[in-house]
Amino acid sequence: MSEQSGSSSGQRERTELPIERGFPIERVNEIAEKEGRAKMYYRPIYTMHKWWARRLGCVFRAISLYTLLDDPEKVSVFEPGHEGGTLAAYGDDAENPSVDIASLIDGVNMSDPESLWELYPKDVRVEDKKILDPFMGGGTSLVEASRFGADVVGNDLNPVAWFITKKQLEAGQTDVEELEEAFEQVKEDVADEITQYYKTPCPNGDHEADVMYNFWVKELDCVSCGHTVPLFKDYRVGKERYAEESGYNVLCPDCGSVSIVEDWQSDSVCKDCGHDFVPKDGNVSRGGKYNCPDCGQKYGITDAIQEQEGYDLRLYALEYYCQHCDESGEPKSVHKGYKRSEEADKQLYREAEEEWENSEELHRYIPEEEIPPGHMTSERNPVFDHGYKQWSDMFNTRQLLSLSILLRRISKIEDGNIREHFLLTFSNTLCTNNSYTGYDHSYNKIQHLFKSNSFDPPSQPTEGNVWGAEFGRGTFESMFELVKDGIKYGNAPTERHVIDGETEETEPFAQPIGANSDIHCGDARQIDAKNEFDAVITDPPYYDNIMYSEVADYFYVWQKILLEDEYPGFDQEKTPRAESIVTNPFLDKTAEDFESELEQSFSVIKRALKEDGTLTFTYHHSDSDSWGELLESLCDVGFEVTATYPISADINKFISGEAVSFDIVVVARPIDDTDPASWKSLRRDIYRTARRTRKQLEENRDLSRGDIGVMEMGACFREYSKHHGKVQRDGEIMSAKEVVQEIYGIIQEASDIGVEDVFIDLLDTANVSYDDVNKLSRGTNANPEDLKEMRLYNQDDGFELGTWDNEKRQAYIQERVNGDGDDHLSNLDKLQFLRYRYEKGQAVQNYVEKWDVNDDMRELAGRLADVTGDDTYTRVLGDRDITSY
């Protein structure tokens, strides 16, 4: 079985989990790099609906694997694709097919954590494990833990997060055929009704084409001359991909025709009217001002919007797809492309407006709520300054008509689970069907509303086809395919992993997602569980990240139309704000509030855990202050940090000392009590721990300097956690923040690691040799030549360290002591000189007084005493009985 570990006094022994002994960050990052770019292929269940800062599934699968497997008697391993057959029947080695789970678990250590990784692509099941995520957000932790057969319990304050996670966990219990049948019925009932408003005369014949995108521009009256000013940043429409001519489709600002130019940033001539213009020169300048093309007046756009009580919208171009031309064999440059808007296009929009005005019953299916003021809407990018007051203002009339027709039909689906999955599809469709989406000219596709995780109204909104044409991004039809793929995955998940640089996908697992799950919508601080959970695996709120509650309101006001009478939490005007654990300047929620509220949550988590339970969470870290707040909150409620691992890190910034962003896995355990310690002694322990950790990792694993730094940090936190609240420096108790600052400095600044530090490490090395000098000097501010010049080692008669009693070392020191001044003596020189005089029975007190011993010298004496077991180094600096010789 795994080795036993104890903490401070009174802490009972407990079995270390694999994740506390090691974590295969190299293997996880190998997959994460690929999964991050292709979530829809690796884990389509997480692309069913937008959620912010969603962690990658491979990260939480690895966390679950290394957290849940502790008792080999309660672990079963199945080969994917062989339902009911264990690895004993389907092992790779026919001679010896059995898998020794105990050996895989026990084999995990910091130097080589990969023994358990062998099970990553296997269908692993555990017994008697109950997992909690009190901040479930997008539900990644619960989905991944449920795949191991654990009972999972989730909680989130935000009802949108609750609903998204609910449908993900129910995906594995949803019949795909029933879902497809419902889609066909919805399509038959409303697809034509919606798409009739997304047609345009085909430019290549007397027939209609489907509109993929409608391009609009906002217009204002010039405050100086009254001229209508279209708010074009530039005149690009889209990048040409199919015609023989390369370049960009651009709009002529004079006649409104669309033609291809080779270079949109240079002089161009309209092929229709001969107008000479530079497409990159629009009427919107930096600083949010328009530039009137008639009189040259520059004026603030939001100022003009408020003064004129809004703005006008003009449809100027479309992107189309013609099925008729495609089926007739016409090339792509003919059946798919860009065109100027025509009167027929504008008339069709007017017909949609008229239909909307005459369909009062449909108005029940759009939100009536006003946009509430907040940090994201009032301060970060004030939506009110742009003329938006209600959530429905973020949509044009044709979008409101189409969306309400669709939502009304969804409300009539009888099966509750199927209806909710269609509502999830509808809600995700809102990301690209609104007046806040622009067009990506480089990739020829509509942009996502939350491309910047905020509300950023464009001056040239792009209207997509709500139901969908053959092509086009973000349509209801394409969003349904995402949900269907997620449900298929939920029924029979697979795992992609990397072997020799190549990605391989397993056969489907027999264990569906979410079979034993229970989730709640509410404040994590109100969870009343006690001694119930084996582990908490979570992604807690970040200090000053996205205000989820404010951006989630965009989805909430639509979802509540169908859910208001179904579930608690959907009966309010907006999602909870004040209860959210995050700094929010708009609500005067400070860093101190965040720290206090996070500490309250950790207290609830500790109570919910079993006595030997573990807390494992990911954390986004930017500086030592946020580390200090985290550690303070954890330790104050009775946790000790047992390990930290990096998921991603900016290595160059870590080394240079700049502000760093890390995604980190933190592992913590409840602790009964802590032991008193002086900062001097603890600093020695922390320094040695950091150096040993670094040495072990550098020798055994191929890790970056940034990754090693994070793991050093975790090892140091573990040392500090055992003494939290009882670390004294100069008679004062140090806070966790103060300690973190010290630890951060030790680890972050390689320049602080100098000759004295390397020499102490050499003293602490068994069978020391010149190779060790090279290894330990690497990445420090010391080099072997420095040590050799100071006679801290010599190779005249074999390798010797320059200890205090080494003849060559002492001659070097004596020569400097007898020189003109003491400024050329290092603290190490002085201490070895004093140690030598004491051994010879010579006086040392006069030198102690002469050298004005400081804290750095006393600290070095303590480190020398610690590593050599010789406390004379410390006694010569402070014991009168000795220093009086």
Side-chain angles (χ1 to χ4, degrees):
M1 285 297 294
S2 304
E3 62 187 272
Q4 303 295 310
S5 68
S7 294
S8 54
S9 60
Q11 180 72 40
R12 65 185 182 83
E13 288 189 344
R14 59 196 177 197
T15 301
E16 272 193 323
L17 297 178
I19 199 167
E20 295 179 286
R21 291 182 273 116
F23 192 66
I25 59 176
E26 302 96 320
R27 301 288 77 80
V28 175
N29 285 338
E30 198 172 37
I31 300 174
E33 181 182 359
K34 297 173 180 290
E35 183 177 329
R37 296 195 300 264
K39 298 182 183 71
M40 71 291 291
Y41 301 116
Y42 277 74
R43 284 174 168 78
I45 197 164
Y46 300 129
T47 60
M48 292 168 67
H49 196 284
K50 164 73 177 176
W51 189 254
W52 296 267
R54 189 195 292 271
R55 294 293 181 174
L56 293 175
C58 63
V59 173
F60 273 105
R61 176 165 178 79
I63 289 173
S64 296
L65 178 66
Y66 278 68
T67 299
L68 299 179
L69 274 63
D70 58 349
D71 185 352
E73 298 298 321
K74 294 186 177 182
V75 177
S76 301
V77 181
F78 298 84
E79 190 71 48
H82 296 282
E83 186 173 355
T86 65
L87 276 180
Y90 295 99
D92 293 331
D93 184 355
E95 298 286 329
N96 182 21
S98 63
V99 175
D100 185 353
I101 304 298
S103 296
L104 298 183
I105 293 173
D106 288 342
V108 175
N109 58 63
M110 184 184 294
S111 297
D112 182 12
E114 295 191 12
S115 64
L116 200 56
W117 187 252
E118 179 180 332
L119 301 183
Y120 181 87
K122 305 300 182 183
D123 191 352
V124 181
R125 320 280 178 81
V126 297
E127 299 175 23
D128 302 329
K129 289 294 183 184
K130 193 169 185 180
I131 310 302
L132 170 68
D133 185 347
F135 307 107
M136 65 187 181
T140 309
S141 61
L142 301 179
V143 168
E144 298 303 325
S146 77
R147 294 180 60 193
F148 289 85
D151 293 340
V152 297
V153 178
N155 183 90
D156 202 278
L157 179 66
N158 195 290
V160 176
W162 174 86
F163 181 64
I164 293 170
T165 302
K166 177 179 187 288
K167 302 320 295 177
Q168 289 173 173
L169 292 169
E170 290 173 352
Q173 288 73 53
T174 300
D175 188 291
V176 177
E177 289 186 3
E178 291 180 8
L179 187 83
E180 290 175 328
E181 289 174 4
F183 177 78
E184 290 304 319
Q185 292 170 2
V186 171
K187 181 178 182 179
E188 182 179 345
D189 291 344
V190 301
D192 289 344
E193 185 179 1
I194 294 171
T195 56
Q196 66 174 315
Y197 295 108
Y198 293 93
K199 302 291 184 180
T200 187
C202 178
N204 310 303
D206 188 18
H207 53 267
E208 287 187 325
D210 293 325
V211 174
M212 294 164 54
Y213 304 115
N214 287 293
F215 299 104
W216 297 82
V217 63
K218 294 177 180 178
E219 294 184 328
L220 292 167
D221 294 334
C222 175
V223 297
S224 179
C225 69
H227 182 80
T228 298
V229 182
L231 302 181
F232 285 107
K233 290 185 176 180
D234 58 63
Y235 293 102
R236 284 177 298 169
V237 178
K239 190 174 184 179
E240 182 52 50
R241 292 179 289 179
Y242 307 121
E244 293 181 5
E245 303 171 81
S246 61
Y248 274 88
N249 290 272
V250 299
L251 179 78
C252 173
D254 193 51
C255 73
S257 66
V258 175
S259 59
I260 300 173
V261 299
E262 184 176 344
D263 183 4
W264 68 278
Q265 301 186 67
S266 301
D267 285 337
S268 301
V269 177
C270 175
K271 296 176 182 178
D272 282 16
C273 70
H275 179 63
D276 190 2
F277 69 106
V278 179
K280 79 176 180 68
D281 294 339
N283 301 321
V284 175
S285 60
R286 289 184 179 181
K289 294 183 177 182
Y290 72 73
N291 182 17
C292 178
D294 200 45
C295 72
Q297 171 72 51
K298 292 184 178 182
Y299 200 76
I301 291 174
T302 56
D303 293 334
I305 288 174
Q306 293 172 64
E307 291 168 12
Q308 298 173 30
E309 297 183 350
Y311 50 81
D312 292 325
L313 275 168
R314 174 165 63 90
L315 179 65
Y316 65 90
L318 306 92
E319 184 174 4
Y320 67 90
Y321 162 73
C322 182
Q323 185 176 358
H324 178 273
C325 291
D326 190 5
E327 292 175 350
S328 299
E330 297 289 350
K332 281 187 177 180
S333 59
V334 173
H335 71 245
K336 190 169 183 283
Y338 300 90
K339 54 170 283 192
R340 67 185 299 170
S341 65
E342 303 176 36
E343 176 57 31
D345 301 315
K346 298 168 185 174
Q347 176 59 30
L348 195 59
Y349 186 80
R350 288 193 290 267
E351 290 174 10
E353 287 184 309
E354 184 178 352
E355 179 65 22
W356 175 247
E357 291 301 322
N358 294 329
S359 303
E360 291 186 12
E361 194 261 343
L362 287 176
H363 290 226
R364 294 168 44 202
Y365 295 93
I366 65 164
E368 299 176 347
E369 290 80 5
E370 293 185 352
I371 302 171
H375 176 70
M376 307 294 282
T377 55
S378 304
E379 295 178 349
R380 183 167 176 174
N381 199 340
V383 300
F384 308 109
D385 292 351
H386 290 267
Y388 300 92
K389 298 178 181 179
Q390 294 183 311
W391 290 109
S392 58
D393 292 339
M394 291 187 173
F395 305 84
N396 70 31
T397 304
R398 179 161 47 196
Q399 289 171 330
L400 292 175
L401 173 64
S402 302
L403 292 169
S404 62
I405 290 172
L406 190 50
L407 189 57
R408 178 180 63 180
R409 179 58 184 86
I410 290 171
S411 71
K412 296 176 181 179
I413 297 174
E414 293 185 3
D415 184 282
N417 178 41
I418 298 293
R419 182 173 64 250
E420 288 178 2
H421 272 113
F422 271 79
L423 176 59
L424 192 75
T425 305
F426 174 88
S427 181
N428 208 30
T429 305
L430 297 171
C431 291
T432 43
N433 289 277
N434 56 74
S435 294
Y436 264 60
T437 55
Y439 193 73
D440 190 326
H441 299 103
S442 298
Y443 295 95
N444 297 75
K445 63 182 181 181
I446 200 169
Q447 293 176 327
H448 195 286
L449 166 66
F450 292 115
K451 65 184 184 299
S452 61
N453 289 327
S454 66
F455 298 110
D456 186 12
S459 60
Q460 296 170 244
T462 303
E463 176 194 3
N465 186 321
V466 172
W467 179 267
E470 183 69 19
F471 300 97
R473 182 190 188 200
T475 67
F476 181 80
E477 203 166 20
S478 62
M479 292 299 102
F480 173 76
E481 290 300 316
L482 290 182
V483 170
K484 185 173 72 172
D485 288 346
I487 289 173
K488 287 181 178 179
Y489 183 85
N491 277 271
T494 62
E495 197 59 55
R496 291 176 184 246
H497 55 118
V498 180
I499 298 179
D500 297 329
E502 298 296 323
T503 302
E504 294 191 9
E505 184 176 12
T506 68
E507 293 293 319
F509 288 24
Q511 174 76 24
I513 283 169
N516 301 300
S517 59
D518 183 23
I519 62 173
H520 308 275
C521 185
D523 194 326
R525 289 164 290 179
Q526 302 302 316
I527 295 173
D528 59 3
K530 184 177 182 180
N531 195 29
E532 182 176 340
F533 295 96
D534 298 282
V536 170
I537 302 175
T538 189
D539 180 26
Y542 299 155
Y543 166 67
D544 57 357
N545 212 298
I546 303 164
M547 309 299 171
Y548 297 132
S549 59
E550 295 186 11
V551 287
D553 281 346
Y554 175 78
F555 299 117
Y556 173 78
V557 293
W558 286 91
Q559 291 176 0
K560 69 171 289 194
I561 294 170
L562 298 192
L563 300 180
E564 186 169 9
D565 297 328
E566 297 289 330
Y567 302 110
F570 285 91
D571 56 352
Q572 302 298 313
E573 292 286 314
K574 58 183 182 294
T575 58
R577 302 290 178 86
E579 301 91 335
S580 296
I581 302 176
V582 66
T583 58
N584 188 333
F586 186 80
L587 296 178
D588 296 324
K589 294 194 69 172
T590 64
E592 289 73 23
D593 295 325
F594 171 78
E595 184 177 347
S596 172
E597 292 171 355
L598 189 62
E599 184 174 317
Q600 293 168 23
S601 300
F602 283 139
S603 181
V604 170
I605 289 171
K606 183 172 184 287
R607 185 185 67 214
L609 278 171
K610 294 178 180 178
E611 290 184 6
D612 60 347
T614 53
L615 165 61
T616 304
F617 61 97
T618 52
Y619 193 71
H620 185 82
H621 150 66
S622 58
D623 54 36
S624 58
D625 283 344
S626 58
W627 263 123
E629 288 155 5
L630 173 67
L631 194 60
E632 191 94 52
S633 299
L634 267 177
C635 293
D636 277 351
V637 301
F639 279 103
E640 65 168 326
V641 174
T642 57
T644 63
Y645 305 104
I647 296 303
S648 64
D650 189 328
I651 301 161
N652 294 325
K653 285 185 177 181
F654 187 91
I655 295 171
S656 63
E658 298 177 42
V660 193
S661 262
F662 291 109
D663 284 326
I664 297 180
V665 176
V666 179
V667 187
R669 290 262 204 169
I671 186 173
D672 293 336
D673 197 9
T674 57
D675 295 327
S678 70
W679 169 240
K680 290 180 182 178
S681 64
L682 180 59
R683 191 190 189 286
R684 291 197 298 271
D685 290 342
I686 286 173
Y687 180 84
R688 293 181 65 192
T689 296
R691 293 291 286 161
R692 285 174 176 171
T693 301
R694 182 186 308 174
K695 181 180 178 183
Q696 187 176 357
L697 293 171
E698 286 177 342
E699 290 178 354
N700 295 286
R701 297 175 67 177
D702 183 20
L703 296 171
S704 71
R705 178 69 186 92
D707 289 342
I708 290 174
V710 171
M711 295 175 73
E712 284 181 275
M713 192 97 68
C716 295
F717 287 172
R718 185 169 193 163
E719 290 301 312
Y720 167 73
S721 299
K722 300 171 186 176
H723 308 285
H724 173 70
K726 299 178 181 178
V727 179
Q728 285 200 5
R729 178 170 63 182
D730 298 329
E732 300 289 334
I733 298 295
M734 294 180 70
S735 69
K737 291 181 183 179
E738 292 173 318
V739 174
V740 167
Q741 287 283 1
E742 298 285 351
I743 294 174
Y744 201 77
I746 290 171
I747 294 173
Q748 189 184 50
E749 297 177 19
S751 60
D752 280 353
I753 302 171
V755 168
E756 294 171 353
D757 304 310
V758 172
F759 180 70
I760 288 176
D761 283 338
L762 289 169
L763 287 173
D764 199 29
T765 302
N767 303 316
V768 64
S769 67
Y770 177 72
D771 286 343
D772 296 306
V773 177
N774 268 325
K775 287 179 183 178
L776 292 169
S777 297
R778 204 174 299 147
T780 72
N781 201 33
N783 61 65
E785 289 304 313
D786 293 335
L787 277 79
K788 184 176 182 180
E789 184 178 330
M790 295 173 67
R791 304 296 190 271
L792 288 171
Y793 75 90
N794 70 80
Q795 294 175 290
D796 297 339
D797 300 308
F799 185 85
E800 289 183 337
L801 274 184
T803 52
W804 67 266
D805 55 351
N806 179 270
E807 183 177 338
K808 293 182 174 63
R809 170 64 176 155
Q810 201 52 234
Y812 171 88
I813 297 173
Q814 292 285 352
E815 181 180 346
R816 275 147 185 76
V817 171
N818 296 330
D820 296 333
D822 295 331
D823 55 349
H824 50 280
L825 282 170
S826 71
N827 283 339
L828 181 58
D829 294 336
K830 295 173 183 178
L831 286 167
Q832 287 187 327
F833 175 73
L834 294 174
R835 178 64 184 85
Y836 179 85
R837 288 185 66 85
Y838 168 71
E839 190 69 22
K840 299 298 182 181
Q842 299 170 351
V844 298
Q845 179 65 27
N846 56 328
Y847 286 101
V848 172
E849 293 174 352
K850 173 185 177 183
W851 285 333
D852 188 23
V853 175
N854 57 26
D855 287 343
D856 288 342
M857 189 171 175
R858 292 186 184 279
E859 184 183 336
L860 179 60
R863 290 166 62 192
L864 286 166
D866 186 57
V867 75
T868 62
D870 182 1
D871 65 358
T872 309
Y873 284 106
T874 55
R875 294 167 63 209
V876 294
L877 296 183
D879 190 329
R880 290 279 179 177
D881 293 337
I882 292 179
T883 58
S884 61
Y885 278 107

